[in-house]
Structures are given as structure tokens and as C-alpha cells.
């Protein structure tokens, strides 16, 4: 059974750095043609893809957020970590991690974690 | 970046109606198009990949078509559990991008 679970702070202050962890089970981060994406959704708005990392360590980032994002994985811990620097209230959103399969589709998603940016 | 535009942004329909949602890409993405369904307060659910292939477990009333820049998601006979927001997503090139969503509401 494939599951993903996001964890991290629920509240961050403006200018702080957000660190989110996605812990996966039911598959390995070393599986060929699989990876993990981070996707966010501001309240009442559309989905926005942020970043992904594949088993071969290939990474990709949103063009508009590239300078603020890093993504890494620890295969032994089955975890993918996303960091976003210089947080702003407009970054308030539910952040999801999702498994990415070969066709670059997100077939399994975590429940999401709401992150609020406020002083 | 490839821009994905969905229309309409919302629609009202009745149970049993045939519903069609359109997704247009800003450049050709061949058939690298996926669809998701999202209900309020829930994570999206994966419905269709490669424009027309149904993910395992998805009811056959859902279908997808298209290639190049124009795609459609069709629900042949709308059921009560289908009232939700639907998103398309291109997987032709990175960065991956989503459409703005189409909310299907009860008439």
C-alpha cells in the first residue's frame, strides 16, 4: 500500500525558511522511473506544482520559485525534503507531496499540510 | 513554461448529464496530459493519464481525449459523487504545470 505523509510547521513567520518532509511507504525512492513532487494549493485557488526529484536524483523546479526552493531525498529514510526560503504571506497554502510515475503523473498523494505564513 | 488553460472555470449540471471539460496547452504537448479530481478538503485523485488512459479503479463514465494542444475530459453520466473540481496537468516538459481547474456544481 502506497502512502505519503507530509510533516512540518503549521505556522512560519515572514522571511523564515520553510522545511517540509514527505515520508513515503509502499515504494522505494530508488525505484526506477519514480519520484516525488511537491505541489501546493493556496486556500480557494488552483494547484501549483513546485518541484520534483526522481530516483536518479534528477530535480526540477517551478520557474517562478526556483531561486527559493531546494529538494533532496534520503532513500534510507524514505523521505523527501523541500525547503522554501524567504516565506511570505502569499505562500500560505496546503502543501502536498505526491508520487510521480513514469508519465510524470501524480498517482498517489499525501493528505496535505496547511502552512500559514504570518507574523 | 507551458501554460494550461481550462474552460469553463465552473459549470452547473444535473445528475445524469453528460459533462465536457476542455483543457488547452500553450504549445503542443502530444498526449502528455493528465487529469485529476479534487473534492473539498481532500487531496486530488488521479483519473486519467496520457490523455485517454483511465487509471485503475476509475469508473468508465470518465473518458479523456485529445492530442497536441486541445484536450477534453468527459463524464458520460454525471453521478452525485462526481461533483468536484477537475484539473488537467501537462507532463510533456518541466516545469510540470496545472490548469486553473473546473468546478462542477449541482444544478
Amino acid at each position: 500500500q502506497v502512502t505519503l505523509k507530509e510533516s512540518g510547521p503549521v505556522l512560519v513567520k515572514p522571511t523564515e525558511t520553510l522545511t517540509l518532509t514527505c515520508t513515503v511507504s509502499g515504494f522505494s525512492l530508488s525505484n526506477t522511473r519514480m519520484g516525488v513532487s511537491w505541489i501546493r494549493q493556496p486556500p480557494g485557488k488552483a494547484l501549483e506544482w513546485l518541484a520534483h526529484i526522481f530516483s536518479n536524483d534528477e530535480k526540477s523546479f517551478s520557474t517562478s520559485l526556483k531561486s527559493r526552493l531546494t529538494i533532496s531525498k534520503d532513500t534510507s529514510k524514505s523521505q523527501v525534503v523541500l525547503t522554501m526560503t524567504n516565506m511570505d504571506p502569499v505562500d500560505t497554502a496546503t502543501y502536498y507531496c505526491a508520487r510521480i510515475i513514469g508519465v510524470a503523473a501524480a498517482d498517489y498523494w499525501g493528505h496535505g499540510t496547511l502552512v500559514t505564513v504570518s507574523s | 513554461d507551458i501554460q494550461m488553460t481550462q474552460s469553463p472555470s465552473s459549470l452547473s449540471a444535473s445528475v445524469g448529464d453528460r459533462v465536457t471539460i476542455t483543457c488547452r496547452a500553450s504549445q503542443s504537448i502530444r498526449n502528455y496530459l493528465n487529469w485529476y479530481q479534487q473534492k473539498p478538503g481532500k487531496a486530488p485523485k488521479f483519473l486519467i493519464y496520457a490523455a485517454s488512459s483511465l487509471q485503475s479503479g476509475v469508473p468508465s463514465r470518465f473518458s479523456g481525449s485529445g492530442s497536441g494542444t486541445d484536450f477534453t475530459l468527459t463524464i458520460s453520466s454525471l453521478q452525485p459523487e462526481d461533483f468536484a473540481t477537475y484539473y488537467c496537468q501537462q507532463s510533456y516538459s518541466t516545469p510540470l504545470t496545472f490548469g486553473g481547474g473546473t468546478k462542477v456544481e449541482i444544478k
Side-chain angles (χ1 to χ4, degrees):
Chain A
Q1 180 188 1
V2 173
T3 64
L4 301 96
K5 184 173 183 179
E6 306 89 351
S7 58
V10 296
L11 180 66
V12 297
K13 291 181 168 54
T15 76
E16 288 187 339
T17 294
L18 171 68
T19 299
L20 294 171
T21 300
C22 177
T23 303
V24 310
S25 64
F27 72 101
S28 170
L29 295 176
S30 61
N31 282 6
T32 305
R33 293 176 59 81
M34 281 188 187
V36 170
S37 273
W38 285 95
I39 297 144
R40 72 178 180 179
Q41 186 172 39
K45 295 190 176 181
L47 300 168
E48 178 184 18
W49 177 80
L50 300 177
H52 73 231
I53 186 166
F54 277 105
S55 56
N56 61 358
D57 219 38
E58 172 193 337
K59 302 169 188 176
S60 185
F61 299 95
S62 160
T63 300
S64 61
L65 295 169
K66 190 173 187 175
S67 63
R68 299 172 54 202
L69 296 173
T70 59
I71 191 169
S72 62
K73 64 181 174 71
D74 185 330
T75 301
S76 65
K77 292 183 178 179
S78 295
Q79 292 181 333
V80 173
V81 176
L82 180 79
T83 63
M84 181 180 295
T85 61
N86 194 25
M87 293 293 283
D88 183 272
V90 300
D91 296 313
T92 293
T94 297
Y95 287 75
Y96 296 98
C97 62
R99 187 177 79 165
I100 296 295
I101 56 175
V103 292
D107 65 341
Y108 287 91
W109 296 63
H111 292 299
T113 184
L114 176 62
V115 178
T116 301
V117 184
S118 175
S119 54
Chain B
D1 297 6
I2 297 175
Q3 307 303 316
M4 306 301 294
T5 303
Q6 287 182 237
S7 61
S9 56
S10 66
L11 65 89
S12 295
S14 301
V15 172
D17 284 353
R18 181 182 181 88
V19 168
T20 298
I21 297 167
T22 297
C23 177
R24 176 164 288 174
S26 60
Q27 65 182 75
S28 176
I29 57 171
R30 294 166 59 184
N31 71 333
Y32 289 84
L33 192 282
N34 309 307
W35 289 98
Y36 303 86
Q37 175 195 66
Q38 186 180 32
K39 296 181 179 179
K42 300 293 186 181
K45 175 186 175 183
F46 181 39
L47 294 179
I48 288 172
Y49 63 97
S52 60
S53 296
L54 221 57
Q55 173 68 346
S56 175
V58 174
S60 59
R61 62 181 179 273
F62 290 91
S63 64
S65 65
S67 66
T69 59
D70 294 317
F71 302 87
T72 59
L73 172 70
T74 299
I75 309 171
S76 60
S77 177
L78 198 65
Q79 297 302 300
E81 60 268 31
D82 301 336
F83 291 94
T85 300
Y86 294 84
Y87 292 94
C88 61
Q89 174 242 324
Q90 66 82 17
S91 54
Y92 179 75
S93 67
T94 56
L96 306 180
T97 44
F98 288 94
T102 296
K103 186 174 184 179
V104 177
E105 299 176 299
I106 301 173
K107 182 183 283 185

